């Protein structure tokens, strides 16, 4: 995948997350997996894991992926504060940061594994 395509994926994910964050919510709350947190926190974590993973893959640096996703999440939370049917939440920002950290780590692990696998496959058979 070209560098341009990688950044296009980042932009597409950012738009999808922004739209999902600013449209009216269903108003229902329900427990997420394992019942520890509401489903919205899981959705935040997944969304920002995807963004951070995509940025990490595009840029090659996990710290950049995490910082970009967390900063973007902060901007989205501020935008939500100005929308009457949405609200900004510090717990949402925490879920964003946790998801971003996990997403960047997973992206690094996948890239490392694919490089390792590619290196193994490219060596001559013995």
């Amino acid at each position: 995948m070209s560098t341009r395509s990688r950044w296009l994926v980042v932009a597409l994910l950012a738009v999808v997350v922004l739209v999902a964050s600013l449209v009216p919510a269903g108003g229902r709350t329900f427990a997420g997996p394992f019942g520890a947190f509401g489903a919205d926190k899981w959705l935040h974590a997944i969304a920002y894991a995807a963004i951070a993973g995509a940025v990490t893959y595009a840029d090659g640096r996990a710290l950049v992926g995490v910082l970009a996703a967390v900063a973007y999440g902060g901007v989205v939370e501020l935008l939500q504060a100005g929308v009457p049917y949405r609200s900004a939440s510090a717990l949402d920002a925490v879920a964003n940061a946790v998801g971003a950290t996990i997403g960047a780590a997973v992206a690094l692990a996948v890239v490392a594994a694919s490089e390792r696998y590619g290196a193994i496959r490219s060596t001559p058979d013995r």
Side-chain angles (χ1 to χ4, degrees):
M1 180 181 280
S2 72
T3 301
R4 181 177 175 173
S5 297
R6 292 175 187 186
W7 286 109
L8 186 59
V9 169
V10 171
L12 180 63
L13 286 169
V15 168
V16 168
V17 168
L18 179 65
V19 169
S21 298
L22 296 179
V23 298
R28 297 181 303 161
T29 59
F30 51 95
F34 315 112
F37 302 101
D40 68 312
K41 301 305 179 257
W42 290 96
L43 293 173
H44 276 268
I46 291 166
Y48 287 90
I51 291 174
V55 171
T56 299
Y57 182 61
D59 182 77
R61 297 175 290 180
L63 183 59
V64 171
V66 171
L67 292 177
V70 168
Y72 186 69
V75 168
V76 171
E77 290 298 321
L78 290 175
L79 291 172
Q80 284 182 332
V83 177
Y85 47 82
R86 299 301 289 232
S87 62
S89 164
L91 289 177
D92 287 350
V94 170
N96 297 348
V98 170
T101 303
I102 292 169
V106 168
L108 278 184
V110 167
V111 168
S114 68
E115 288 174 354
R116 194 172 325 120
Y117 177 75
I120 292 169
R121 297 287 291 165
S122 66
T123 58
D125 292 331
R126 297 178 199 225

